[in-house]
Amino acid sequence: MVMITQIRINSDRLHHRINTLAQIGQQPSGSICRLAFSPEDLQARATVKQWMLEAGMTVRTDPAGNLIGRYPGKSPTAPALATGSHIDTVPTGGRYDGALGVLAGIEVAHTLKDHDLQLHHPLEVIVFNDEESTMIGAQAIAGTVLLNAPDRYQSKAGESIQDCLARVGGNWDNLATAARSRADLVAFVELHVEQGAILEQNGVSIGIVQGVVGMERLKITIMGKANHAGTTPMEMRQDALVAAAELILSVQQIALKMPSQPVATVGYLNVLPNAVNIIPGQVELSVDMRDLSQNCLEEMLAQLQDKIIAIANSTHTQISITPLLSVKPTLAASEVQSTIESVCQQLELNYDYLPSRAGHDALEIGRITNMGMIFVPSKGGFSHSEAEYTSPEQCTQGANVLFQTLSALDQKYKTFLGDISKEQTKPKLN
C-alpha cells in the first residue's frame, strides 16, 4: 500500500488545466481578461465545475456566487479542510494569479480519487467570487460582507450586485446564509504565486506566509492658493504642490523608520490647475500603508497626522484626510505554518517565511478559521500582466506542498473527530 506521504500530484494534468483555463479570456497581447460576472467568467466557472466533477467532487454555488467543490471524507460530519482561490482576473491579468490555487486544489482531490483515498475530513475547493474587485465571495463566507450596502458591491460595469449574483447562481437576499465558521471549516490553506520577486531573487522554492497585511488607504486633499508663477514672491506663496512634496517624503520616512518594515506608497497625484506658469492651488494624492501589525498601522497613521498638521502650518495650506479603505491584517495560524515547513523539509524544498503584502481571499477566511498560505516564485515579480510566469516545475512543487500540507493537517486535526458536537470540533485558534 502506497503511503500518502509518497504520493505526488499529476503534473501533466495540472498544467493542461492551467493552459486550458488560460485560453478563456485570453487577449491578443497574451494577457487574460476574465472579469467577475462576465461571459468569460461564466465559461471558466463551467470548465472548473466539470473538472471538480471529474475529481469526484460534488459541486454547489452558494448565495455569494462562490463555486464550492466537496470531496468526501471518512467522517462526513467533520468540519472540512478547505483550499482554493479565484479565477476572475483584472482587465490585463496573468494565467497563474488565483487560478493556480484553484486548479491545485482540484488536483489534490483528483489525486486522492486516483489512489482511491479519502482524508478523515471532507475536502473543499472554493472558487471565491469577485476577488479582484469587491471580494464579496470571501467576505460572505467570513461574515464580514456589508449586507445593508449592496451599492458597495456594484460591478465595475455599473450593474447591480443583485443582477450579477443571479447570473452566476447566487442570491443577494440569502447572502447571510453563505457565512461559515470553524465548525464548518477546520482550516484553510491557499496556494498562490508570490506576485513579487523575493523568492526568485533569493533562490527559494517555497514561501511560508506569515499572514496577509492590513491596509490603510487615504485620500489627502491639499488646498493652497493658485497664483501667477512669475509675479508672486516665494515668501508669499501657498503652494499646494510644495506641501504635497513634503508630505510624500514624510510618508516614505515614516515607513522606513518603523521596525516591522511596513510599506507605504503615494501612487496617485492630481495637481490643479496643472499649468506651467501657475502656482498649484490644489493637490489630491493617495496614501497606501500596509503591514502585518495593526499597532504599526495605527502608529503610522498617528505620525502621518502629526506631519500633516506641521506641513499645513509651515506651508500655509489646508490639508484634509478622507479614509478610503481600512482592512485589518490576518496572521497565519502557527500550526499551519509549522506544518508547511515540515512538508518542505520532507520534500527537500528550501523555504523562507515572508508576509503577503497583496490582499487575498485568505485574508478574510483567516478571520473564521486556521489559515495558511503557500507561495511559489513569480518570475521577475511580475503579476496582473501577460508577463506573469511561474514555471511548471514550480507550480508542481507548490501543488505537492499543498497536497502534503492538507494531508498532514488532516492528521493533526483528526483528534477533533468522533461522536462529539460541532462546537467541540473547533480547534483552538492562535
Side-chain angles (χ1 to χ4, degrees), residues 250-265:
S250 295
V251 169
Q252 182 186 44
Q253 289 304 311
I254 288 170
L256 287 171
K257 290 179 181 179
M258 298 300 291
S260 61
Q261 296 183 320
V263 294
T265 306

Side-chain angles (χ1 to χ4, degrees), residues 354-370:
L354 74 169
S356 171
R357 299 196 184 278
H360 298 287
D361 296 301
L363 173 75
E364 295 291 341
I365 306 307
R367 306 194 194 286
I368 61 167
T369 192
N370 291 342

Side-chain angles (χ1 to χ4, degrees), residues 142-159:
T144 58
V145 70
L146 303 175
L147 295 170
N148 60 347
D151 291 347
R152 159 69 174 78
Y153 301 96
Q154 177 177 284
S155 77
K156 290 183 178 179
E159 295 179 281

Side-chain angles (χ1 to χ4, degrees), residues 73-94:
K74 294 178 181 177
S75 299
T77 61
L81 280 166
T83 185
S85 193
H86 62 98
I87 58 173
D88 65 306
T89 72
V90 296
T92 55

Side-chain angles (χ1 to χ4, degrees), residues 283-344:
V283 174
E284 291 181 349
L285 58 88
S286 66
V287 176
D288 183 298
M289 295 176 166
R290 307 186 184 204
D291 195 62
L292 271 182
S293 166
Q294 182 65 23
N295 289 338
C296 174
L297 289 173
E298 292 172 0
E299 175 63 23
M300 291 171 72
L301 283 174
Q303 290 188 28
L304 180 62
Q305 289 170 344
D306 290 342
K307 283 289 187 181
I308 284 173
I309 293 171
I311 292 169
N313 289 335
S314 66
T315 59
H316 307 291
T317 58
Q318 295 180 340
I319 306 178
S320 62
I321 302 174
T322 303
L324 297 178
L325 180 69
S326 181
V327 178
K328 291 184 178 181
T330 302
L331 299 180
S334 60
E335 66 264 35
V336 179
Q337 294 185 63
S338 63
T339 301
I340 298 169
E341 178 177 354
S342 296
V343 167
C344 288

